Amino acid sequence: MANQSDTKTKILDSAEKLFAERGFSETSLRLITSKAEVNLASVNYHFGSKKELIRAVLARYMDVFMPAAAAAIIQVKQQKQCASLDDIFSSLVSPLLDLNTVRTEGTLIFLQLLGRGYIESQGHLRWFITTHYGQYLTQFVHAVAESAPEIPAAEMFWRLHFTLGTVVFTMASADALTEIAAADFEEHNDIEAVIRKVIPYLSAGVSAPVG
Amino acid sequence: MANQSDTKTKILDSAEKLFAERGFSETSLRLITSKAEVNLASVNYHFGSKKELIRAVLARYMDVFMPAAAAAIIQVKQQKQCASLDDIFSSLVSPLLDLNTVRTEGTLIFLQLLGRGYIESQGHLRWFITTHYGQYLTQFVHAVAESAPEIPAAEMFWRLHFTLGTVVFTMASADALTEIAAADFEEHNDIEAVIRKVIPYLSAGVSAPVG
DNA sequence: GTTTAATTTAAACGAGTGTTTAAATCATTA
DNA sequence: TAATGATTTAAACACTCGTTTAAATTAAAC
């Protein structure tokens, strides 16, 4: 019984790293299990299938991040009567960075997984996210909409997806970008620095005057 | 000799559609050739390998779009002394939409291919683009930097990548998004409408005040 | 019309995939 | 300790993939 959760954790730890780096379908179960130093068949024994492993990897982060993010937004709206978009986005920073304490490089891995999930999977992951965490998503959308009431709902729909694209793409290629930036501009750019750079960009974009 | 280019074109037409829809590695040569109604081996005969087919699919659009985009930017800078970011981004719209006259749904397919290419391929495609079309890219970066001189170079580096992420992600999931938007807001959203929605978002983001 | 080259075709190859099986091993409980 | 259930293991299965081969077909050149 002690080894069960040990094997399960080893698989999850190995899988999330590889999934974030190379994507879901480009990562084979054999690579995951060999890096985790467990048997190939243990994935299907503990998780049932590769699809369910993918969902389990994502759920481990979602279950931590989503409630924390929801609480942070509620807190911001209590402290400030009229929270700005910058306030809303900024309130998500510490829930994101707290994932680094949960697991090594947790923040980066979570954001990369999110990006891979949104781009790669046509069906099962998007369904999994919306059905399991849909309440949090709508709550977040409402908070943003309240902070930019001049933007019509239809326009806001698109701008939030633009925002998602910005975040997801940036994080999916964050490794390469921070290297280039460090070489070209001699700046120190860890994941937190990138997050803090992107927030003004997103706020300005979401609240841009409607053409 | 008449059938050679015929088969080649049939393969390219079938491949670009499937690549844009489901990504490169998720699209098998057998699916491409069966939809194109040609023999499986003809891909390797005419293109050498799957990688070279991918490059050929992308090059067919790049060779049309890149010179047209470059010309459009030059024209804008001649007409207006101080072209705004909106002007620069907007000048790319008609070169993009002109791809629809080259091939059916050309604009959408091109942008989706670009997105897939940037996200999926770690090496060969990124190398192919920068070495073959790098001159156009640097020209575009300079034009943007000129239109937002208050943004430091290091900050602009990041914001242009945010911009790339927005465009690429939006287009990669454009099919799903336009469907949802149509259902939720009863709006008509073709690819041009999305492009025109994203431009104010990008302009505001790139020129946002630096924190 | 014959020869030569280009193209198409069907079949197979070797490697890699997720999944399943049944035996072996381990831990727990009686 | 013996028995029972949980877990691990090695092997095989069935399938898909990109690529290659060699023969068949078509087109071009002489």
Side-chain angles (χ1 to χ4, degrees), chain B residues 114-143:
Chain B
L114 215 64
R116 302 282 186 191
Y118 238 89
I119 292 161
E120 273 194 41
S121 92
Q122 306 290 6
H124 76 105
L125 252 188
R126 217 175 282 216
W127 171 88
F128 172 73
I129 292 176
T130 49
T131 53
H132 280 75
Y133 310 97
Q135 36 169 348
Y136 297 113
L137 296 180
T138 57
Q139 181 199 343
F140 176 69
V141 170
H142 281 124

Side-chain angles (χ1 to χ4, degrees), chain B residues 58-189:
Chain B
L58 218 82
R60 205 161 57 141
Y61 280 101
M62 285 292 211
D63 292 338
V64 175
F65 173 73
M66 282 300 194
I73 289 179
I74 290 175
Q75 195 190 7
V76 158
K77 288 167 79 173
Q78 279 177 338
Q79 288 177 347
K80 280 191 175 184
Q81 207 71 358
C82 289
S84 70
L85 274 180
D86 248 276
D87 294 330
I88 298 288
F89 287 136
S90 298
S91 74
L92 298 178
V93 172
S94 65
L96 274 177
L97 294 180
D98 284 350
L99 297 177
N100 272 332
T101 69
V102 175
R103 223 161 290 111
T104 312
E105 297 233 73
T107 305
L108 180 60
I109 289 178
F110 170 63
L111 288 170
Q112 289 180 341
L113 288 174
L114 215 64
R116 302 282 186 191
Y118 238 89
I119 292 161
E120 273 194 41
S121 92
Q122 306 290 6
H124 76 105
L125 252 188
R126 217 175 282 216
W127 171 88
F128 172 73
I129 292 176
T130 49
T131 53
H132 280 75
Y133 310 97
Q135 36 169 348
Y136 297 113
L137 296 180
T138 57
Q139 181 199 343
F140 176 69
V141 170
H142 281 124
V144 171
E146 272 182 28
S147 296
E150 73 278 10
I151 310 294
E155 196 73 29
M156 186 56 90
F157 166 86
W158 284 101
R159 294 191 174 183
L160 283 179
H161 274 98
F162 298 157
T163 299
L164 185 63
T166 310
V167 173
V168 147
F169 177 90
T170 302
M171 298 311 158
S173 46
D175 289 332
L177 293 182
T178 48
E179 273 181 32
I180 302 171
D184 287 8
F185 305 107
E186 297 175 3
E187 272 193 15
H188 171 63
N189 284 296

